[in-house]
Amino acid sequence: MKDNLFIEYVNTPYEEPQDMLPKINEAMLADMEESLEVDFKKEYQQEDLASILESIKYIRIYCRNFPCFNGFDYQPLQAPFAYYRSRKTYLKELPFTEDEFYKFTYIQDAIKKLGLKAQPTFEFITFLYYNIKVWSENQITTSGAKVDNILSLLKEQLNTQLTMNIKVGSKSFEFNNSLFIQSLLEFYSSHNLISCNLVERENKRVRERTIQYSLVKTLLDYLPIKTDKSEGINFVQAERDLALCTLYLCKLLMGDPTYVCTKDNNATFDKLMRDFKDFNITLHQMLI
């Protein structure tokens, strides 16, 4: 084995069976969050507390969806208050300034159309961008999980043509027999080999698109958007505009904003949603 060859394994984490977890006590969570707020107010009593709490309210709405189980009971996430305490660190990692956000008329128009407020929207984007970036850098899968995911897709898409490429040095070998490829994958999956726990890391392009999707999908899912949607409509134009503008500001989408941030670029947004429709965002698991 070459000295510079590093093989990494990961142990499959144990997950608590859902039927063994206690029921969430919403009233108790609300009392605990109020207690966290009281402690927070004591820290910033010399400042405009109403404005501070207003600025992080969208972050709080998001975090209320993911109470933390401490082994005995549920408790609210402290992330909204922790964010404000470390806000300067978050802003340093942001690829645009707060001033640029407010001067970007395209995103301001979308925010108004969706019945949102600019300041808490900015804070939520900042919060998500930082945490999604950190989260994505720690995202790994295993060879076994990757193969199982392929097999799961094949069950949904019967008779799909498969192609497999293997490169050995300068030589490439291509397999086009779908039955042969699927047989290999099923054999590998069913035998639970040691290599099933080998870590797989996505390439830079895939990771970047994962960040794009996670950012805009979380925004659109958890912002308190006010809009009427006709039956069968998943996203109105203002939601698409907000998503495209956010990607543009975060340097995850390049080009002329008059094109890339408007309905002329809806195809980019729609393709992102289609490509990741089965992707499970687990960002909340790293928050405390």
Side-chain angles (χ1 to χ4, degrees):
M1 182 180 295
K2 294 181 179 179
D3 293 336
N4 63 350
L5 181 61
F6 177 69
I7 298 179
E8 187 177 2
Y9 292 91
V10 63
N11 291 323
T12 302
Y14 171 75
E15 293 186 3
E16 193 77 29
Q18 293 300 307
D19 57 359
M20 293 178 62
L21 296 176
K23 290 184 178 179
I24 295 177
N25 187 324
E26 298 289 352
M28 184 181 71
L29 282 174
D31 289 341
M32 293 175 72
E33 184 179 355
E34 185 176 347
S35 178
L36 291 174
E37 183 178 313
V38 169
D39 292 339
F40 181 76
K41 287 179 177 179
K42 290 178 182 177
E43 292 182 55
Y44 296 94
Q45 55 185 322
Q46 302 301 322
E47 301 183 34
D48 186 349
L49 280 166
S51 294
I52 293 175
L53 293 174
E54 173 71 12
S55 72
I56 61 173
K57 70 177 184 178
Y58 293 170
I59 302 175
R60 296 179 74 177
I61 289 172
Y62 169 75
C63 289
R64 285 179 189 133
N65 289 277
F66 307 106
C68 176
F69 184 67
N70 62 11
F72 301 97
D73 214 329
Y74 287 95
Q75 61 186 34
L77 293 176
Q78 300 185 44
F81 304 111
Y83 160 78
Y84 191 81
R85 294 185 182 103
S86 303
R87 186 173 182 270
K88 291 182 179 179
T89 299
Y90 282 71
L91 291 177
K92 287 179 181 178
E93 296 297 321
L94 204 62
F96 62 94
T97 66
E98 189 169 359
D99 190 49
E100 288 173 330
F101 170 82
Y102 282 105
K103 289 182 178 179
F104 192 34
T105 56
Y106 288 103
I107 198 168
Q108 296 304 321
D109 289 344
I111 288 170
K112 290 177 183 177
K113 289 177 181 177
L114 295 172
L116 301 170
K117 294 184 178 180
Q119 184 66 36
T121 299
F122 170 77
E123 304 296 346
F124 191 32
I125 291 173
T126 303
F127 170 82
L128 288 179
Y129 177 83
Y130 178 88
N131 283 298
I132 285 173
K133 184 179 178 183
V134 173
W135 166 72
S136 68
E137 291 171 352
N138 295 323
Q139 285 298 291
I140 58 174
T141 186
T142 62
S143 300
K146 199 169 185 178
V147 168
D148 288 342
N149 184 46
I150 295 172
L151 292 172
S152 177
L153 289 174
L154 290 176
K155 289 180 181 178
E156 299 174 4
Q157 303 174 33
L158 299 176
N159 302 318
T160 299
Q161 180 63 36
L162 301 179
T163 300
M164 183 172 67
N165 293 293
I166 298 177
K167 188 173 183 180
V168 181
S170 61
K171 295 184 177 181
S172 294
F173 302 86
E174 183 175 289
F175 297 88
N176 296 299
N177 189 309
S178 297
L179 182 58
F180 170 71
I181 296 171
Q182 187 166 347
S183 296
L184 282 179
L185 297 175
E186 289 178 344
F187 177 86
Y188 180 81
S189 176
S190 64
H191 280 68
N192 195 27
L193 304 173
I194 293 176
S195 63
C196 286
N197 286 325
L198 278 168
V199 166
E200 291 281 332
R201 299 184 188 277
E202 299 289 2
N203 62 45
K204 183 179 179 181
R205 175 58 180 162
V206 172
R207 279 185 54 208
E208 183 178 278
R209 283 181 57 75
T210 302
I211 293 173
Q212 290 176 345
Y213 175 79
S214 302
L215 177 57
V216 300
K217 189 64 165 61
T218 306
L219 275 175
L220 298 179
D221 279 352
Y222 294 100
L223 279 172
I225 291 170
K226 300 180 181 69
T227 183
D228 293 324
K229 294 181 182 178
S230 302
E231 187 176 350
I233 300 298
N234 292 323
F235 302 100
V236 298
Q237 188 57 50
E239 289 178 298
R240 286 181 165 85
D241 292 346
L242 176 63
L244 293 169
C245 287
T246 300
L247 294 180
Y248 177 80
L249 282 173
C250 292
K251 305 296 187 291
L252 295 169
L253 192 61
M254 302 300 175
D256 182 349
T258 61
Y259 170 75
V260 299
C261 297
T262 65
K263 63 181 181 181
D264 293 330
N265 198 29
N266 278 349
T268 294
F269 173 85
D270 292 338
K271 187 175 189 307
L272 188 65
M273 295 299 107
R274 288 196 305 271
D275 290 349
F276 285 86
K277 64 182 179 67
D278 298 318
F279 183 76
N280 181 29
I281 303 170
T282 55
L283 166 67
H284 60 274
Q285 293 180 359
M286 67 170 281
L287 301 176
I288 57 174

